[in-house]
Amino acid sequence: MNGASREALASGRERLDALTDNTSVDAAKLAEELAAVTTLLDREKSLRRVLTDPARTGEAKAELVTRLLAGQVGAQATELVSGLVRVRWSRSRDLVDGIEELASTADLAAAQRAGVLDDVEDELFRFGRILASSPELRAALADRRADGAAKSGLLGRLLGGRVNPVTERLVVRLVAQPRGRSLEGGLEALSKLAAARRDRTVAVVTSAVPLSDRQKQRLGAGLAKLYGRQMHLNLDVDPRVLGGIQVSIGDEVIDGTILNRLDEVGRRMAG
């Protein structure tokens, strides 16, 4: 997002944080209702154009939202969406993207309140690894010709009772309504949102063998000191790296694996 949309979403995040910080607000229910609004606006293109039309006053757009959502979602969701349409968006699609992000963030806030945010982060990461290792499963879930309900049912059989309910809801929404994103891109976005809940950065750590608790603590502390912020480690084991570790933080890769060193030696010899 750029310009006006970025500012609009930032204000929406602040309002959502104020809501979810209140323990009397059911964050999971709020997430479900915001997801329903996302579905509505994603389907009704003309409606979202009206709600982002700069020629209409913010108050008029907010009143329209109130009438449309009356009896469909709760007061908090209605208030939040009304606030979003009062401000300017660069593109009508950005409004839908913003509400979708707030829905996911509300679910993650529910996980954080329940003390299971770490579990959700890890489960999202592991699901991504499952997809990477199973082309058949990925193809079935990414098939745009397949019915959304069928894909949701497949995920229910795969994840039901095996992961936190928040993880399952996030993944099911992503698969059932990808909205033009790849599964990998959607999972990465969810992982970043989860990390942002506690102002942390995600580091993907690949090693030949599982790291010990002491090694994880030392690595986490070292990365936190290096980057000046708390790190969440997503751990992956890949025997192909032979030894050492590889750390990926966003687009930056710190490669200390034996395989990389052998590759470097090979390049020098070839040169």
Side-chain angles (χ1 to χ4, degrees), residues 240-245 255-264:
R240 291 175 297 177
V241 304
L242 301 182
I245 61 171
D255 198 332
T257 64
I258 292 176
L259 179 59
N260 184 64
R261 295 171 195 166
L262 291 175
D263 287 343
E264 181 63 26

Side-chain angles (χ1 to χ4, degrees), residues 28 31-33 35-36 39 100 102-108 152 155 166-179 181 190:
E32 181 181 358
E33 292 175 341
T39 301
E100 182 181 50
L102 296 183
S104 298
T105 302
D107 250 334
L108 293 167
S152 297
L155 283 172
V166 171
T167 306
E168 185 174 354
R169 288 197 299 271
L170 290 170
V171 172
V172 166
R173 284 206 297 265
L174 172 62
V175 170
Q177 297 179 309
R179 303 187 56 244
R181 297 162 301 186
L190 289 172

Side-chain angles (χ1 to χ4, degrees), residues 98-165:
I99 297 173
E100 182 181 50
E101 179 184 311
L102 296 183
S104 298
T105 302
D107 250 334
L108 293 167
Q112 186 175 31
R113 187 184 296 176
V116 296
L117 184 56
D118 275 346
D119 293 337
V120 171
E121 288 179 284
D122 290 336
E123 288 165 356
L124 289 170
F125 176 72
R126 289 203 301 272
F127 183 71
R129 301 308 299 170
I130 290 172
L131 287 180
S133 63
S134 178
E136 297 85 0
L137 175 62
R138 187 197 180 283
L141 295 177
D143 187 354
R144 297 187 180 183
R145 297 167 299 178
D147 179 66
K151 290 190 284 188
S152 297
L154 173 59
L155 283 172
R157 294 190 295 274
L158 181 67
L159 302 178
R162 296 180 177 85
V163 299
N164 188 277

Side-chain angles (χ1 to χ4, degrees), residues 21-38:
D21 285 345
N22 185 340
T23 56
S24 66
V25 174
D26 187 337
K29 180 181 178 183
L30 178 59
E32 181 181 358
E33 292 175 341
L34 290 173
V37 175
T38 301

Side-chain angles (χ1 to χ4, degrees), residues 262-271:
L262 291 175
D263 287 343
E264 181 63 26
V265 170
R267 286 192 293 269
R268 290 180 180 177
M269 291 179 64

Side-chain angles (χ1 to χ4, degrees), residues 161-216:
R162 296 180 177 85
V163 299
N164 188 277
V166 171
T167 306
E168 185 174 354
R169 288 197 299 271
L170 290 170
V171 172
V172 166
R173 284 206 297 265
L174 172 62
V175 170
Q177 297 179 309
R179 303 187 56 244
R181 297 162 301 186
S182 68
L183 293 179
E184 293 80 5
L187 287 170
E188 181 181 0
L190 289 172
S191 293
K192 288 180 178 179
L193 286 177
R197 284 302 305 168
R198 281 178 291 192
D199 194 26
R200 299 186 305 175
T201 299
V202 175
V204 178
V205 180
T206 305
S207 58
V209 296
L211 300 182
S212 67
D213 289 341
R214 183 180 180 186
Q215 288 173 319
K216 287 185 284 187

